[in-house]
Amino acid sequence: MGLTGLDIYKHLPKTNCGDCGVPTCLAFAMKLAQKQTSLDKCPHVTDDAKAALEGASAPPVKLVTAGVGDAKVEVGNETVLFRHDETFYHPTALAVTVDAALPEDQLVARVKQINELVFDRVGQRIGVNMVALQSGADAAQFAAAAKAVAANTDHALVLIADDPAAMEAAVKEVADRKPLIYAATADNAEDMARIAKENSCPLALRADGLEALAALSQKVQGLGVTDLVLDSGAREPVKVLADQTLIRRAALRKKFRPLGFPTIAFTAADSPEEEVVQATEYVAKYAGILVMNADQPWQLIAILTARQNIFTDPQKPIQLDAGLYQVGEPDANSPVLTTTNFSLTYFTVEGDVEASRVPSWIVVVDTEGTSVLTAWAAEKFTADTIAAAIKSSGIEDKVSHRKLVIPGGVAVLSGKLQEASGWQVLVGPRESSGIPTYLKTTWQG
């Protein structure tokens, strides 16, 4: 169990200086006990106090890093069971498998295919994070495959082998890439821990059930390896979800340190469609790293979209800058539309305008990342805010007409907006999907 706020308070300087960003030492202690701040925020805490409070100040789920540079993957350090309580901070890392037994040309082609699993969605670049290399027939083959994979991708690596000799040979080829070593078990823990420690690599643990996993975690930490990723050994979806949830609850609610690490899960599906369902479930509950065979764009875009939605801060919607945007190459006679700066709304409108093949201008209003009807109800998408956006966007210098198309859902704004802006206000379709037909048949410049 973790220390209480009063236990922590006893070790603080009690100056109430506010240098930590909290008015009093007691308030800081309470926040520290709830994992809402870190001990390093107090510049006056003594070394003895740091030692005493090390457990209390450590996150309930340790942050573990694999990979290097811009491609490094960080998992763990989560503080809540449900994202609406705060948010989730470190998106599940998605790893796609490569068989080390493949001929080199096929192996390289597979890796390059994985590299291309990157997509643009609502203004963000989303994609696969890791390549998971599964061991081949022998140590030499595994090592050669690891070298070839590292030469053809910048992604972080997962090396999968139970044989310590094969793992050691492969790690020597790519140690500078800080791969995740998978996996230490009850049978090979000493050797795998030694390899991880000597090469400063994170280590995954696999056991049969949570009790055995906790015991293995304590054993490996005793061997000096503390950057760990946990696998309960479950592969049936119901069992995987149960174990993932119990591990997270044990770490957050019980402060049970042996299970206070991110997890890794593996899909085991009979069809590509089932694998998408499994993967989405594991992203939601609560895999830190997910290893999949899925390699088709239609599979990954579904899984990545789910991940993007789950790991978006619910209190901070994805938004883009307000201002003037163009679709195609609009001119002085092109249509002018308006919408909000909620990314999903804007990119839906942009896509439908593009589908119409009518070059257009879009005036985006700052509504703090809310959708059209939500912004209207909150008085952020009003006649005055739209009129101000028209003035500040510079659209009046771009077009020869003064006609503005507003979303049909806020048709009630048309009269006031016409007065406030001096523009003729046209009411467009209620749904964005109606934009192509509207621009082709109704708009007249």
Side-chain angles (χ1 to χ4, degrees), residues 143-375:
K147 185 176 181 180
V149 169
N152 286 281
T153 187
D154 292 328
H155 288 329
L157 306 178
V158 183
L159 301 180
I160 301 176
D162 288 341
D163 177 16
M167 184 62 72
E168 188 160 24
V171 170
K172 284 183 178 179
E173 294 291 346
V174 296
D176 61 325
R177 297 286 293 272
K178 198 176 179 181
L180 172 64
I181 295 172
Y182 180 94
T185 65
D187 296 329
N188 65 16
E190 291 84 356
D191 287 332
M192 289 296 194
R194 175 185 56 79
I195 296 168
K197 187 174 181 179
E198 290 177 353
N199 294 280
S200 300
C201 293
L203 176 63
L205 312 181
R206 186 182 72 243
D208 186 10
L210 299 187
E211 186 174 339
L213 185 61
L216 183 60
S217 171
Q218 291 174 309
K219 178 179 180 178
V220 171
Q221 289 182 70
L223 295 171
V225 180
T226 58
D227 284 340
L228 304 178
V229 177
L230 307 180
D231 178 6
S232 71
R235 294 296 180 266
E236 288 293 323
V238 171
K239 182 60 174 170
V240 173
L241 292 176
D243 286 353
Q244 293 283 335
T245 302
L246 289 171
I247 290 171
R248 178 69 72 92
R249 285 183 176 273
L252 297 186
R253 297 284 175 83
K254 302 296 184 182
K255 308 296 189 293
F256 186 58
R257 292 297 178 186
L259 297 182
F261 298 93
T263 60
I264 185 169
F266 292 75
T267 56
D270 294 328
S271 70
E273 294 80 7
E274 184 182 350
E275 185 166 24
V276 172
V277 174
Q278 281 188 18
T280 303
E281 291 173 345
Y282 300 164
V283 168
K285 297 277 187 178
Y286 290 102
I289 298 172
L290 178 59
V291 180
M292 313 172 293
N293 296 317
D295 59 4
Q296 296 303 305
W298 68 265
Q299 292 177 294
L300 268 299
I301 192 62
I303 298 166
L304 289 164
T305 297
R307 183 184 71 176
Q308 184 184 36
N309 291 339
I310 292 166
F311 285 88
T312 295
D313 187 341
Q315 299 179 28
K316 298 178 182 177
I318 303 173
Q319 54 188 285
L320 71 161
D321 294 335
L324 182 63
Y325 292 80
Q326 61 184 65
V327 180
E329 298 182 0
D331 56 26
N333 298 310
S334 296
V336 180
L337 300 89
T338 187
T339 191
T340 73
N341 72 328
F342 178 41
S343 287
L344 185 57
T345 296
Y346 170 77
F347 285 104
T348 300
V349 171
E350 181 193 57
D352 288 325
V353 172
E354 187 173 7
S356 75
R357 298 187 179 181
V358 178
S360 303
W361 304 96
I362 303 177
V363 176
V364 174
V365 181
D366 183 3
T367 61
E368 300 178 9
T370 51
S371 62
V372 170
L373 290 179
T374 302

